[in-house]
Amino acid sequence: MSSSPRRPAGLPERLDTDDTLVMGVLNVTPDSFSDGGAHDDAPAAISHGLRLVGQGASIVDVGGESTRPGAPRVDEDEELRRVLPVVTALAAKDIVVSVDTMRASVAAASIEAGALIVNDVSAGRADVDMGPEVARLRTRLGTPPVFIAMHWRGHSDVMNELAVYRDVARDSAAELAERLSALREAGVEDRFLVADPGLGFSKTGEQNWEVLADWPTLSSHGLPLLIGASRKRFVSALGVDRDLATAAISAYSAEHGAWAVRVHDVGSSVAAVRVGDRLRRSVRR
């Protein structure tokens, strides 16, 4: 089992819990791999965000740029147009909002609009200003935003070509550790950092399973962990319902001490993490 911190600082007291949290995915895009176009205007996206919270999501992760393999980048203005009205509306209802972005400018505008978390799949590699900007920002709670740093090797148009490793679990953990060090040097404090192993990013289907199976390496950063396996190709390849398979990974992640799981189908993973949390608490020490 992981001995990493269970949670980051900087979030409301109601999230100060040893239970694994469920982060609901809200893609405000026309082209995301799972639900592109389902909520690509602000009213539909806001309604879905409220629905995710009603199903038990503790955090809503709002993204305006698809990171599916092969997806083209959107420009900054379009990304801002997509996410800001949604972030603003949800934060106004005291919902804990995360913004899924690789741009420092979008992160800053979203924090200004009420978001409390920046979820950067590139861990600051895509925008050199991200680390310093996140270190400078303050949320409506008066603290720096939580910063989720994911293992990433390149943008969506090239990431499948980069899935070459000697030992995928150790190599990806080492590369993420380098990014975490760079973020610390930029002024981001450890207590606001969360690590994400980057399942589905520059990894083959088999490599994703290898990363998940090596929990000691996956959790070696000494930080809270976010696991994002939901509906990804390696999960769908099992040939069973992808949301139920995702829920099984959510239970596994909770049993091993993950801070949160990022999912599309919130209800099934809420039930799953309760099982995982209960098993973790029952382990003989």
Side-chain angles (χ1 to χ4, degrees), residues 34-67:
S34 166
D35 55 357
H39 328 106
D40 63 347
D41 65 81
I46 293 163
S47 294
H48 188 58
L50 295 172
R51 190 176 308 118
L52 293 172
V53 173
Q55 293 168 349
S58 297
I59 302 163
V60 176
D61 190 44
V62 179
E65 180 176 20
S66 175
T67 53

Side-chain angles (χ1 to χ4, degrees), residues 123-188:
R125 285 186 65 186
D127 185 342
V128 295
D129 293 329
M130 182 65 89
E133 184 71 3
V134 168
R136 180 192 69 80
L137 291 171
R138 292 297 179 268
T139 71
R140 55 189 166 91
L141 300 182
T143 64
V146 170
F147 187 77
I148 301 170
M150 194 192 80
H151 175 253
W152 184 87
R153 282 185 161 185
H155 286 290
S156 298
D157 58 342
V158 297
M159 68 179 182
N160 283 346
E161 303 166 18
L162 304 175
V164 179
Y165 304 85
R166 284 176 292 186
D167 181 317
V168 64
R170 293 183 180 181
D171 292 353
S172 58
E175 290 169 15
L176 180 54
E178 292 177 1
R179 289 307 311 154
L180 291 167
S181 293
L183 290 166
R184 292 175 182 119
E185 290 175 8
V188 182

Side-chain angles (χ1 to χ4, degrees), residues 11 55 60 114 118 121 179 189 212 216 219 227 233 258 272 278:
L11 295 177
Q55 293 168 349
V60 176
V118 176
V121 299
R179 289 307 311 154
E189 298 177 54
L212 265 177
S219 61
I227 300 298
R233 190 173 301 172
R278 187 66 184 82

Side-chain angles (χ1 to χ4, degrees), residues 88-264:
T88 301
L90 296 179
K93 295 183 180 295
D94 198 32
I95 292 168
V96 177
V97 177
S98 167
V99 61
D100 180 355
T101 184
M102 292 181 278
R103 288 188 171 100
S105 58
V106 176
S110 297
I111 296 302
E112 178 78 19
L116 300 179
I117 302 170
V118 176
N119 182 11
D120 180 0
V121 299
S122 80
R125 285 186 65 186
D127 185 342
V128 295
D129 293 329
M130 182 65 89
E133 184 71 3
V134 168
R136 180 192 69 80
L137 291 171
R138 292 297 179 268
T139 71
R140 55 189 166 91
L141 300 182
T143 64
V146 170
F147 187 77
I148 301 170
M150 194 192 80
H151 175 253
W152 184 87
R153 282 185 161 185
H155 286 290
S156 298
D157 58 342
V158 297
M159 68 179 182
N160 283 346
E161 303 166 18
L162 304 175
V164 179
Y165 304 85
R166 284 176 292 186
D167 181 317
V168 64
R170 293 183 180 181
D171 292 353
S172 58
E175 290 169 15
L176 180 54
E178 292 177 1
R179 289 307 311 154
L180 291 167
S181 293
L183 290 166
R184 292 175 182 119
E185 290 175 8
V188 182
E189 298 177 54
D190 253 30
R191 63 196 180 107
F192 298 103
L193 279 169
V194 172
D196 179 338
L199 299 174
F201 287 79
S202 296
K203 297 172 186 70
T204 66
E206 181 58 33
Q207 287 169 344
N208 288 302
W209 292 114
E210 290 176 24
V211 170
L212 265 177
D214 190 352
W215 199 273
T217 298
L218 184 153
S219 61
S220 61
H221 307 289
L223 297 171
L225 277 170
L226 173 69
I227 300 298
S230 184
R231 295 183 179 175
K232 291 185 175 173
R233 190 173 301 172
F234 78 101
V235 176
S236 300
L238 292 172
V240 296
D241 183 282
R242 60 187 180 175
D243 289 322
L244 295 180
T246 297
I249 295 173
S250 295
Y252 168 85
S253 301
E255 183 182 0
H256 284 75
W259 165 65
V261 292
R262 181 181 181 275
V263 301
H264 298 80

